[in-house]
Amino acid sequence: MKFLVTGAAGFIGFHVSKRLCEAGHDVVGIDNLNDYYDVNLKLARLSELEQFTIENRNEKQGCFNFIKLNLIDRKNVAKLFEIEKFNRVIHLAAQAGVRYSIENPMAYADSNLIGHLAILEGCRNNDVEHLIYASSSSVYGLNNKTPFSTSDSVDHPVSLYAATKKSNELMSHSYSHLYNVPTTGLRFFTVYGSWGRPDMAPYIFTKKILDGETIDINNNGDMWRDFTHVDDIVEGVVRIADVIPERDHNWKVESGSPATSSAPYSIYNIGHGSPINLMGFVQAIESELGIEAKKSFRGMQPGDVYQTYAEVEDLFDAIDYKSQMSVAEGVAEFVQWYKTFYKKELKVLNIL
């Protein structure tokens, strides 16, 4: 099949593109390569995907083609859809980061709202058979009931980032209802692993511990996160692409789950399903590095939530897969990548 993967130079988009090509699918990857974080990391991910370009791939692999494109460029996004005729779309491009949204709200309106609408328009005008898109566990906002279930209310976000992700779900439902576009939203829970973003806790902690710097521990360490390794996330994304939602004519607002609809529309949590304490995660990094971190304990930060905890049985039933990677294994994989990558990248960046 031919897939469009948006945000292909990003953390999850890179891994999904790689997995699809290994499975023999053709992938067109787009990304605007913005400087929200180090562009060199994004370029290095794309360099890894060069093994799948038409010049380099073997006959069992799919072909990867990268196009630098901003989703707010509606004319060229529409043209891309018209020319390529994608079978399926995996929409992962977004302006990420809860804290960044507090200081830079307009960036989220452009990328996460206008950009999502451009993808929906491309799908409806070109008969795309399935749109899979990234939502977020942040939509649960002030919800204190655990585990978080897709049947829970998500009407009280605590960051603009979360509000835009909830908006994506609402926009998708309207297109599923009006235009019969099958859409599946995935609420990601604290993804980590190799090639991860520099603004995320595993990266920040690892870098600072190795550099002998002090790490900040929010809410004095009393926080819980459903850390999910990127390999498990990718497995879920690729499998759910084959589970195309259908209309349920018996569904009613009054009695039906908000995660389904009379339209071809689905929402799933995608996480490990077993949160651990933040201090436990820090200790896993310390153990893998063989270094005790210097710690500074502070209060809860704006936009933060106390706990994330995914109820994942619906997704497990749909794809027959549950997250496999333990935190100890996942942290070991990330730390090994970090050490290897940055030892190698010192030479590459000097050339650049």
Side-chain angles (χ1 to χ4, degrees), residues 67-346:
I67 299 172
K68 185 179 179 181
L69 181 62
N70 196 318
L71 291 180
I72 64 173
D73 183 354
R74 290 179 288 176
K75 180 179 178 180
N76 281 316
V77 170
K79 185 177 179 181
L80 177 70
F81 271 89
E82 184 179 349
I83 291 172
E84 296 290 348
K85 300 298 182 187
F86 302 110
N87 300 111
R88 296 174 183 174
V89 174
I90 299 179
H91 175 40
L92 302 171
Q95 178 57 60
V98 169
R99 292 181 183 86
Y100 190 73
S101 70
I102 296 171
E103 304 295 333
N104 300 275
M106 295 308 296
Y108 291 76
D110 289 340
S111 295
N112 299 8
L113 300 179
I114 296 175
H116 190 73
L117 183 58
I119 293 298
L120 286 168
E121 277 290 281
C123 291
R124 105 168 156 101
N125 289 322
N126 296 276
D127 297 320
V128 171
E129 66 182 32
H130 195 188
L131 166 62
I132 305 95
Y133 63 94
S135 185
S136 169
S137 62
S138 66
V139 301
Y140 290 103
L142 293 175
N143 182 29
N144 289 318
K145 169 186 163 291
T146 56
F148 295 164
S149 169
T150 53
S151 64
D152 294 338
S153 169
V154 288
D155 294 332
H156 298 88
V158 295
S159 69
L160 181 65
Y161 170 72
T164 63
K165 288 300 183 180
K166 172 58 178 174
S167 298
N168 290 167
E169 296 178 3
L170 295 173
M171 294 162 71
S172 298
H173 184 269
S174 68
Y175 270 68
S176 295
H177 175 75
L178 290 171
Y179 308 117
N180 204 40
V181 177
T183 65
T184 297
L186 297 174
R187 293 174 178 170
F188 291 100
F189 279 71
T190 318
V191 188
Y192 74 102
S194 58
W195 300 96
R197 297 200 325 258
D199 64 321
M200 299 174 76
Y203 190 112
I204 293 171
F205 291 161
T206 299
K207 182 179 187 303
K208 287 192 172 185
I209 292 172
L210 284 171
D211 291 345
E213 299 178 12
T214 300
I215 63 173
D216 293 319
I217 306 292
N218 294 341
N219 204 39
N220 299 309
D222 185 21
M223 298 179 75
W224 296 78
R225 288 292 180 268
D226 200 341
F227 288 101
T228 313
H229 191 269
V230 68
D231 287 356
D232 287 326
I233 290 289
V234 170
E235 187 68 31
V237 171
V238 171
R239 289 190 182 215
I240 205 65
D242 289 331
V243 184
I244 302 175
E246 299 179 352
R247 288 186 178 275
D248 179 359
H249 296 288
N250 295 318
W251 183 92
K252 295 180 180 179
V253 171
E254 295 79 10
S255 57
S257 167
T260 59
S261 176
S262 54
Y265 166 89
S266 295
I267 296 289
Y268 296 98
N269 289 332
I270 183 166
H272 197 277
S274 54
I276 71 164
N277 184 265
L278 177 61
M279 291 306 298
F281 194 82
V282 171
Q283 289 165 6
I285 296 175
E286 291 175 319
S287 176
E288 189 62 31
L289 292 174
I291 304 171
E292 183 176 352
K294 301 174 184 176
K295 305 176 185 73
S296 174
F297 293 91
R298 62 184 185 180
M300 187 75 86
Q301 299 299 293
D304 262 353
V305 295
Y306 172 68
Q307 180 173 225
T308 65
Y309 178 3
E311 194 286 309
V312 294
E313 291 307 311
D314 287 348
L315 181 66
F316 175 73
D317 290 342
I319 64 175
D320 192 28
Y321 180 82
K322 207 168 207 176
S323 294
Q324 305 294 312
M325 184 101 51
S326 69
V327 166
E329 293 169 325
V331 166
E333 186 269 351
F334 172 75
V335 168
Q336 182 57 47
W337 166 79
Y338 184 93
K339 288 180 175 180
T340 302
F341 179 77
Y342 281 100
K343 181 178 180 181
K344 177 179 66 175
E345 282 304 290
L346 291 174

